[in-house]
Amino acid sequence: MHIDGLLEGDVIAKTSVAIGKTGNVNGSIDAEHLMVSGELMGNCTCNVVEIMPQGRIDGSIVAKELIIEKGGEFVGQSVVHKNNEYNSGYNNLSVKTKTPQSITLQQKSEDGVAK
C-alpha cells in the first residue's frame, strides 16, 4: 500500500505500507514493513520501521527494527520486541507513557541538570 494523500484512520496490512513525501496519516498502522517519507501522527506496530529523509513519526513505535535516516524525525517512544519476536496487532501493545515534567530555574544546578 502506498499513501500519497491525507488518510484519517487505521491501516492494517500483511505486507508493506509506504507513506510518500506528500502523504499524511492520522491514525495507527499495523504492518510488516513501514516506510515513512511523509508524516504519521499515531502509533505503529511493525516488524521494520524506516523513517526516510524528511519523514516524520509522532507517536509510539513497537518494532523489531527501527531505522531513522539523516533528516528523518521521530517524536515519541519506541519499544523493541522482547527476544526480537514480532507479534502483529495492537492487542499485544503494552506501552506505558510518562508525562514529561518541567523544572523551574531554581531546581537547576550549575551544570544544567535538575536536582
Side-chain angles (χ1 to χ4, degrees):
M1 171 184 267
H2 189 92
I3 302 165
D4 270 332
L6 175 63
L7 174 69
E8 294 202 20
D10 300 337
V11 175
I12 299 173
K14 291 183 180 181
T15 57
S16 296
V17 174
I19 301 174
K21 290 181 181 180
T22 60
N24 190 322
V25 176
N26 187 1
S28 62
I29 296 181
D30 185 345
E32 177 67 23
H33 189 160
L34 173 62
M35 293 175 291
V36 180
S37 295
E39 186 171 338
L40 169 62
M41 297 291 288
N43 303 326
C44 60
T45 301
C46 303
N47 197 15
V48 178
V49 175
E50 290 184 72
I51 303 175
M52 311 305 283
Q54 293 134 14
R56 177 182 171 98
I57 294 179
D58 193 338
S60 63
I61 297 173
V62 177
K64 179 179 174 183
E65 185 176 356
L66 173 60
I67 302 163
I68 303 174
E69 293 197 18
K70 185 176 182 178
E73 294 181 33
F74 171 54
V75 178
Q77 78 177 55
S78 64
V79 177
V80 176
H81 289 284
K82 187 175 182 179
N83 300 325
N84 287 335
E85 293 177 358
Y86 170 70
N87 293 317
S88 179
Y90 278 95
N91 294 333
N92 299 321
L93 179 63
S94 176
V95 177
K96 294 180 182 178
T97 59
K98 187 175 180 182
T99 305
Q101 296 179 348
S102 61
I103 59 171
T104 65
L105 291 177
Q106 290 80 20
Q107 291 176 305
K108 275 190 176 177
S109 68
E110 292 177 14
D111 60 358
V113 178
K115 290 185 175 182

